[in-house]
Amino acid sequence: MEVTKNLGGGSLIGVPIFYRNGENYGTLCGLDLNPYRYTEDHIDLFKAMANLLGNVLELERANSEIETLSVPIVPISDEVAILPIVGDVNEVRTERIMEIALSESANKNLDYLIFDLSGLINIHANSAMNLLKIGQSLKLIGVQMIVTGIRPDLALKAVQSHTDFDEIVVQSNLKQALNWIGYKLVKE
Protein backbone atom coordinates (compact mmCIF):
# COMPACT_ATOMS: atom_id res chain seq x y z
CA MET A 1 0.00 0.00 0.00
CA GLU A 2 1.20 3.54 -0.74
CA VAL A 3 0.68 4.66 2.84
CA THR A 4 2.89 1.88 4.20
CA LYS A 5 5.65 2.38 1.60
CA ASN A 6 6.23 5.92 2.86
CA LEU A 7 6.45 4.89 6.51
CA GLY A 8 9.72 3.03 6.10
CA GLY A 9 8.72 0.36 8.57
CA GLY A 10 6.25 -0.20 11.32
CA SER A 11 3.29 -2.51 11.50
CA LEU A 12 -0.13 -2.76 9.94
CA ILE A 13 -3.12 -4.94 10.67
CA GLY A 14 -6.20 -4.99 8.48
CA VAL A 15 -9.46 -6.92 8.79
CA PRO A 16 -12.25 -6.79 6.17
CA ILE A 17 -15.69 -5.46 7.16
CA PHE A 18 -18.57 -7.38 5.58
CA TYR A 19 -22.31 -6.94 5.38
CA ARG A 20 -24.35 -10.06 6.20
CA ASN A 21 -24.85 -10.81 2.50
CA GLY A 22 -21.08 -11.12 2.07
CA GLU A 23 -20.62 -7.73 0.39
CA ASN A 24 -17.40 -6.03 1.49
CA TYR A 25 -17.80 -2.57 3.02
CA GLY A 26 -14.12 -1.87 3.54
CA THR A 27 -11.30 -2.66 5.94
CA LEU A 28 -10.67 -1.88 9.59
CA CYS A 29 -6.97 -1.05 9.89
CA GLY A 30 -4.50 -0.50 12.69
CA LEU A 31 -1.22 1.22 11.90
CA ASP A 32 1.83 1.85 14.04
CA LEU A 33 5.07 3.56 13.02
CA ASN A 34 7.02 1.12 15.17
CA PRO A 35 7.38 -2.55 14.28
CA TYR A 36 4.97 -4.58 16.37
CA ARG A 37 4.13 -8.26 16.39
CA TYR A 38 0.40 -8.76 16.69
CA THR A 39 -0.74 -11.69 18.81
CA GLU A 40 -3.75 -13.91 18.16
CA ASP A 41 -5.60 -11.88 20.81
CA HIS A 42 -4.98 -8.68 18.81
CA ILE A 43 -6.15 -10.33 15.61
CA ASP A 44 -9.25 -11.71 17.37
CA LEU A 45 -9.99 -8.24 18.79
CA PHE A 46 -9.75 -6.63 15.34
CA LYS A 47 -11.97 -9.34 13.86
CA ALA A 48 -14.54 -8.76 16.62
CA MET A 49 -14.44 -4.98 16.06
CA ALA A 50 -14.83 -5.46 12.28
CA ASN A 51 -17.75 -7.83 12.88
CA LEU A 52 -19.38 -5.34 15.26
CA LEU A 53 -18.89 -2.49 12.80
CA GLY A 54 -20.38 -4.67 10.04
CA ASN A 55 -23.45 -5.27 12.22
CA VAL A 56 -23.82 -1.55 12.93
CA LEU A 57 -23.57 -0.78 9.21
CA GLU A 58 -26.15 -3.50 8.50
CA LEU A 59 -28.54 -1.99 11.05
CA GLU A 60 -28.06 1.46 9.52
CA ARG A 61 -28.80 0.06 6.06
CA ALA A 62 -31.92 -1.72 7.37
CA ASN A 63 -33.08 1.43 9.15
CA SER A 64 -32.72 3.40 5.93
CA GLU A 65 -34.80 0.80 4.06
CA ILE A 66 -37.47 0.89 6.79
CA GLU A 67 -37.64 4.69 6.59
CA THR A 68 -38.18 4.48 2.85
CA LEU A 69 -40.89 1.85 3.27
CA SER A 70 -42.55 3.83 6.05
CA VAL A 71 -43.67 6.48 3.55
CA PRO A 72 -45.54 4.47 0.90
CA ILE A 73 -47.36 6.48 -1.74
CA VAL A 74 -50.22 4.41 -3.14
CA PRO A 75 -51.50 5.52 -6.56
CA ILE A 76 -55.28 5.54 -7.07
CA SER A 77 -55.18 6.97 -10.59
CA ASP A 78 -52.75 8.95 -12.73
CA GLU A 79 -53.53 12.14 -10.81
CA VAL A 80 -54.45 10.89 -7.31
CA ALA A 81 -52.42 9.03 -4.69
CA ILE A 82 -52.77 8.19 -1.01
CA LEU A 83 -50.09 8.45 1.62
CA PRO A 84 -51.15 6.38 4.65
CA ILE A 85 -49.40 7.59 7.79
CA VAL A 86 -49.08 4.77 10.31
CA GLY A 87 -47.45 4.82 13.74
CA ASP A 88 -45.61 7.61 15.48
CA VAL A 89 -44.63 10.82 13.67
CA ASN A 90 -41.72 12.83 14.99
CA GLU A 91 -39.73 15.61 13.34
CA VAL A 92 -37.30 13.24 11.59
CA ARG A 93 -40.13 11.20 10.10
CA THR A 94 -42.01 14.37 9.13
CA GLU A 95 -38.97 15.54 7.16
CA ARG A 96 -38.84 12.16 5.40
CA ILE A 97 -42.58 12.37 4.64
CA MET A 98 -42.06 15.85 3.18
CA GLU A 99 -39.18 14.68 0.96
CA ILE A 100 -41.09 11.67 -0.37
CA ALA A 101 -44.39 13.53 -0.77
CA LEU A 102 -42.80 16.33 -2.78
CA SER A 103 -40.55 14.18 -4.96
CA GLU A 104 -43.16 11.49 -5.68
CA SER A 105 -45.91 14.04 -6.34
CA ALA A 106 -43.69 15.85 -8.83
CA ASN A 107 -42.42 12.62 -10.45
CA LYS A 108 -45.93 11.19 -10.81
CA ASN A 109 -47.41 14.55 -11.84
CA LEU A 110 -50.14 14.26 -9.20
CA ASP A 111 -52.99 16.72 -8.78
CA TYR A 112 -54.08 15.38 -5.36
CA LEU A 113 -52.24 13.67 -2.52
CA ILE A 114 -54.44 12.28 0.24
CA PHE A 115 -52.77 12.00 3.65
CA ASP A 116 -54.67 9.33 5.57
CA LEU A 117 -53.97 9.77 9.28
CA SER A 118 -56.31 7.02 10.52
CA GLY A 119 -53.33 4.78 11.39
CA LEU A 120 -51.48 7.54 13.21
CA ILE A 121 -50.70 6.63 16.81
CA ASN A 122 -49.02 9.82 17.97
CA ILE A 123 -47.90 13.09 16.45
CA HIS A 124 -45.47 15.44 18.14
CA ALA A 125 -46.49 19.10 18.45
CA ASN A 126 -44.03 20.45 15.89
CA SER A 127 -44.93 17.68 13.45
CA ALA A 128 -48.53 18.89 13.24
CA MET A 129 -47.25 22.28 12.12
CA ASN A 130 -44.87 20.60 9.70
CA LEU A 131 -47.82 18.80 8.08
CA LEU A 132 -49.10 22.25 7.16
CA LYS A 133 -45.73 23.06 5.64
CA ILE A 134 -46.01 19.90 3.55
CA GLY A 135 -49.43 21.07 2.35
CA GLN A 136 -48.09 24.52 1.50
CA SER A 137 -45.07 23.03 -0.29
CA LEU A 138 -47.29 20.67 -2.28
CA LYS A 139 -49.50 23.60 -3.26
CA LEU A 140 -46.43 25.38 -4.69
CA ILE A 141 -45.87 22.47 -7.09
CA GLY A 142 -49.56 22.29 -8.03
CA VAL A 143 -50.68 19.44 -5.78
CA GLN A 144 -53.71 19.71 -3.47
CA MET A 145 -53.21 18.00 -0.12
CA ILE A 146 -56.26 16.37 1.41
CA VAL A 147 -56.11 15.07 4.99
CA THR A 148 -58.37 12.25 6.16
CA GLY A 149 -58.73 10.18 9.31
CA ILE A 150 -58.14 12.86 11.95
CA ARG A 151 -59.18 11.35 15.26
CA PRO A 152 -60.60 13.52 18.07
CA ASP A 153 -57.35 13.41 20.09
CA LEU A 154 -55.36 14.54 17.04
CA ALA A 155 -57.86 17.32 16.40
CA LEU A 156 -57.37 18.52 19.98
CA LYS A 157 -53.58 18.51 19.55
CA ALA A 158 -53.91 20.52 16.33
CA VAL A 159 -56.14 23.09 18.04
CA GLN A 160 -53.86 23.28 21.11
CA SER A 161 -50.81 23.87 18.90
CA HIS A 162 -52.74 26.65 17.12
CA THR A 163 -52.31 24.85 13.82
CA ASP A 164 -54.40 26.42 11.07
CA PHE A 165 -55.80 23.84 8.67
CA ASP A 166 -57.49 26.45 6.43
CA GLU A 167 -54.80 25.93 3.77
CA ILE A 168 -55.64 22.24 3.24
CA VAL A 169 -58.76 20.24 2.60
CA VAL A 170 -59.85 18.02 5.48
CA GLN A 171 -62.30 15.16 4.97
CA SER A 172 -63.33 12.63 7.58
CA ASN A 173 -62.47 9.52 5.54
CA LEU A 174 -61.02 8.31 2.26
CA LYS A 175 -64.42 7.85 0.59
CA GLN A 176 -65.35 11.49 1.27
CA ALA A 177 -61.98 12.67 0.00
CA LEU A 178 -62.41 10.76 -3.25
CA ASN A 179 -65.97 12.14 -3.58
CA TRP A 180 -64.63 15.67 -3.02
CA ILE A 181 -62.19 15.15 -5.90
CA GLY A 182 -65.00 13.82 -8.09
CA TYR A 183 -64.47 10.06 -7.85
CA LYS A 184 -67.36 7.72 -7.14
CA LEU A 185 -66.88 4.21 -5.86
CA VAL A 186 -69.12 1.88 -7.81
CA LYS A 187 -69.39 -1.85 -7.19
CA GLU A 188 -69.81 -3.88 -10.36
Short mmCIF file of all heavy atoms in Angstrom, two decimals, residues 60-85:
data_model
loop_
_atom_site.label_atom_id
_atom_site.label_comp_id
_atom_site.label_asym_id
_atom_site.label_seq_id
_atom_site.Cartn_x
_atom_site.Cartn_y
_atom_site.Cartn_z
N GLU A 60 -27.84 0.15 10.14
CA GLU A 60 -28.06 1.46 9.52
C GLU A 60 -28.69 1.30 8.14
O GLU A 60 -29.60 2.03 7.77
CB GLU A 60 -26.74 2.22 9.41
CG GLU A 60 -26.94 3.64 8.94
CD GLU A 60 -25.65 4.44 9.01
OE1 GLU A 60 -24.98 4.40 10.06
OE2 GLU A 60 -25.34 5.11 8.01
N ARG A 61 -28.23 0.32 7.38
CA ARG A 61 -28.80 0.06 6.06
C ARG A 61 -30.26 -0.37 6.18
O ARG A 61 -31.12 0.10 5.45
CB ARG A 61 -27.99 -1.04 5.35
CG ARG A 61 -28.52 -1.39 3.97
CD ARG A 61 -27.83 -2.63 3.44
NE ARG A 61 -26.69 -2.26 2.62
CZ ARG A 61 -25.94 -3.14 1.98
NH1 ARG A 61 -26.18 -4.43 2.08
NH2 ARG A 61 -24.94 -2.73 1.25
N ALA A 62 -30.55 -1.26 7.15
CA ALA A 62 -31.92 -1.72 7.37
C ALA A 62 -32.82 -0.57 7.81
O ALA A 62 -33.97 -0.46 7.36
CB ALA A 62 -31.95 -2.85 8.40
N ASN A 63 -32.31 0.29 8.70
CA ASN A 63 -33.08 1.43 9.15
C ASN A 63 -33.43 2.36 7.99
O ASN A 63 -34.54 2.87 7.89
CB ASN A 63 -32.31 2.20 10.23
CG ASN A 63 -33.14 3.29 10.86
OD1 ASN A 63 -34.29 3.09 11.18
ND2 ASN A 63 -32.54 4.45 11.03
N SER A 64 -32.48 2.56 7.10
CA SER A 64 -32.72 3.40 5.93
C SER A 64 -33.81 2.80 5.05
O SER A 64 -34.68 3.50 4.54
CB SER A 64 -31.42 3.57 5.14
OG SER A 64 -31.64 4.31 3.98
N GLU A 65 -33.78 1.47 4.86
CA GLU A 65 -34.80 0.80 4.06
C GLU A 65 -36.17 0.91 4.73
O GLU A 65 -37.18 1.13 4.06
CB GLU A 65 -34.43 -0.66 3.85
CG GLU A 65 -33.27 -0.86 2.91
CD GLU A 65 -32.80 -2.30 2.81
OE1 GLU A 65 -33.47 -3.20 3.37
OE2 GLU A 65 -31.76 -2.53 2.17
N ILE A 66 -36.21 0.78 6.05
CA ILE A 66 -37.47 0.89 6.79
C ILE A 66 -38.04 2.29 6.65
O ILE A 66 -39.24 2.47 6.46
CB ILE A 66 -37.27 0.51 8.27
CG1 ILE A 66 -37.07 -1.00 8.39
CG2 ILE A 66 -38.45 0.96 9.12
CD1 ILE A 66 -36.62 -1.46 9.75
N GLU A 67 -37.17 3.31 6.74
CA GLU A 67 -37.64 4.69 6.59
C GLU A 67 -38.26 4.91 5.22
O GLU A 67 -39.28 5.57 5.09
CB GLU A 67 -36.48 5.67 6.78
CG GLU A 67 -36.12 5.90 8.21
CD GLU A 67 -35.02 6.94 8.36
OE1 GLU A 67 -34.79 7.71 7.42
OE2 GLU A 67 -34.39 6.95 9.43
N THR A 68 -37.64 4.34 4.19
CA THR A 68 -38.18 4.48 2.85
C THR A 68 -39.53 3.79 2.74
O THR A 68 -40.47 4.32 2.16
CB THR A 68 -37.20 3.90 1.81
OG1 THR A 68 -35.96 4.59 1.93
CG2 THR A 68 -37.74 4.06 0.40
N LEU A 69 -39.63 2.59 3.33
CA LEU A 69 -40.89 1.85 3.27
C LEU A 69 -41.97 2.46 4.15
O LEU A 69 -43.15 2.22 3.94
CB LEU A 69 -40.65 0.40 3.69
CG LEU A 69 -39.79 -0.43 2.74
CD1 LEU A 69 -39.50 -1.79 3.35
CD2 LEU A 69 -40.44 -0.57 1.38
N SER A 70 -41.57 3.28 5.14
CA SER A 70 -42.55 3.83 6.05
C SER A 70 -43.29 5.03 5.47
O SER A 70 -44.12 5.62 6.13
CB SER A 70 -41.88 4.24 7.37
OG SER A 70 -41.05 5.35 7.18
N VAL A 71 -42.99 5.39 4.23
CA VAL A 71 -43.67 6.48 3.55
C VAL A 71 -44.13 5.97 2.18
O VAL A 71 -43.64 6.40 1.15
CB VAL A 71 -42.75 7.72 3.41
CG1 VAL A 71 -43.53 8.90 2.87
CG2 VAL A 71 -42.11 8.08 4.73
N PRO A 72 -45.10 5.03 2.19
CA PRO A 72 -45.54 4.47 0.90
C PRO A 72 -46.60 5.35 0.23
O PRO A 72 -47.61 5.68 0.84
CB PRO A 72 -46.14 3.13 1.30
CG PRO A 72 -46.69 3.38 2.67
CD PRO A 72 -45.76 4.39 3.31
N ILE A 73 -46.35 5.73 -0.99
CA ILE A 73 -47.36 6.48 -1.74
C ILE A 73 -48.08 5.47 -2.63
O ILE A 73 -47.46 4.78 -3.43
CB ILE A 73 -46.72 7.60 -2.56
CG1 ILE A 73 -46.12 8.61 -1.59
CG2 ILE A 73 -47.73 8.22 -3.51
CD1 ILE A 73 -45.87 9.97 -2.09
N VAL A 74 -49.40 5.38 -2.44
CA VAL A 74 -50.22 4.41 -3.14
C VAL A 74 -51.03 5.12 -4.22
O VAL A 74 -51.92 5.92 -3.91
CB VAL A 74 -51.18 3.69 -2.16
CG1 VAL A 74 -52.00 2.64 -2.87
CG2 VAL A 74 -50.40 3.09 -0.99
N PRO A 75 -50.73 4.85 -5.49
CA PRO A 75 -51.50 5.52 -6.56
C PRO A 75 -52.93 4.98 -6.66
O PRO A 75 -53.15 3.78 -6.55
CB PRO A 75 -50.70 5.22 -7.82
CG PRO A 75 -49.82 4.07 -7.48
CD PRO A 75 -49.68 4.00 -6.00
N ILE A 76 -53.88 5.90 -6.85
CA ILE A 76 -55.28 5.54 -7.07
C ILE A 76 -55.60 5.69 -8.55
O ILE A 76 -56.33 4.90 -9.13
CB ILE A 76 -56.21 6.46 -6.24
CG1 ILE A 76 -55.96 6.25 -4.75
CG2 ILE A 76 -57.67 6.24 -6.56
CD1 ILE A 76 -56.30 4.87 -4.24
N SER A 77 -55.04 6.72 -9.16
CA SER A 77 -55.18 6.97 -10.59
C SER A 77 -53.93 7.74 -11.02
O SER A 77 -53.01 7.91 -10.23
CB SER A 77 -56.45 7.80 -10.87
OG SER A 77 -56.29 9.11 -10.35
N ASP A 78 -53.91 8.20 -12.25
CA ASP A 78 -52.75 8.95 -12.73
C ASP A 78 -52.55 10.25 -11.97
O ASP A 78 -51.43 10.73 -11.83
CB ASP A 78 -52.87 9.25 -14.23
CG ASP A 78 -52.69 8.01 -15.07
OD1 ASP A 78 -52.12 7.02 -14.56
OD2 ASP A 78 -53.12 8.04 -16.24
N GLU A 79 -53.65 10.84 -11.46
CA GLU A 79 -53.53 12.14 -10.81
C GLU A 79 -53.77 12.13 -9.30
O GLU A 79 -53.62 13.15 -8.63
CB GLU A 79 -54.46 13.16 -11.47
CG GLU A 79 -55.94 12.84 -11.41
CD GLU A 79 -56.42 11.93 -12.56
OE1 GLU A 79 -55.80 11.88 -13.62
OE2 GLU A 79 -57.45 11.27 -12.35
N VAL A 80 -54.12 10.98 -8.73
CA VAL A 80 -54.45 10.89 -7.31
C VAL A 80 -53.66 9.76 -6.65
O VAL A 80 -53.57 8.66 -7.20
CB VAL A 80 -55.96 10.64 -7.09
CG1 VAL A 80 -56.29 10.54 -5.60
CG2 VAL A 80 -56.80 11.73 -7.74
N ALA A 81 -53.11 10.05 -5.47
CA ALA A 81 -52.42 9.03 -4.69
C ALA A 81 -52.74 9.23 -3.21
O ALA A 81 -53.16 10.31 -2.80
CB ALA A 81 -50.91 9.09 -4.91
N ILE A 82 -52.53 8.16 -2.45
CA ILE A 82 -52.77 8.19 -1.01
C ILE A 82 -51.45 7.93 -0.29
O ILE A 82 -50.68 7.06 -0.70
CB ILE A 82 -53.80 7.12 -0.59
CG1 ILE A 82 -55.12 7.35 -1.30
CG2 ILE A 82 -53.99 7.11 0.92
CD1 ILE A 82 -56.10 6.21 -1.12
N LEU A 83 -51.24 8.67 0.77
CA LEU A 83 -50.09 8.45 1.62
C LEU A 83 -50.62 8.08 3.01
O LEU A 83 -51.02 8.96 3.77
CB LEU A 83 -49.23 9.71 1.71
CG LEU A 83 -47.99 9.59 2.57
CD1 LEU A 83 -46.88 8.86 1.82
CD2 LEU A 83 -47.50 10.93 2.99
N PRO A 84 -50.68 6.78 3.32
CA PRO A 84 -51.15 6.38 4.65
C PRO A 84 -50.04 6.60 5.68
O PRO A 84 -48.92 6.13 5.50
CB PRO A 84 -51.48 4.90 4.50
CG PRO A 84 -50.72 4.44 3.31
CD PRO A 84 -50.42 5.63 2.46
N ILE A 85 -50.35 7.33 6.72
CA ILE A 85 -49.40 7.59 7.79
C ILE A 85 -49.75 6.67 8.95
O ILE A 85 -50.84 6.76 9.51
CB ILE A 85 -49.44 9.06 8.25
CG1 ILE A 85 -49.29 10.02 7.07
CG2 ILE A 85 -48.39 9.30 9.32
CD1 ILE A 85 -47.95 9.99 6.39
#
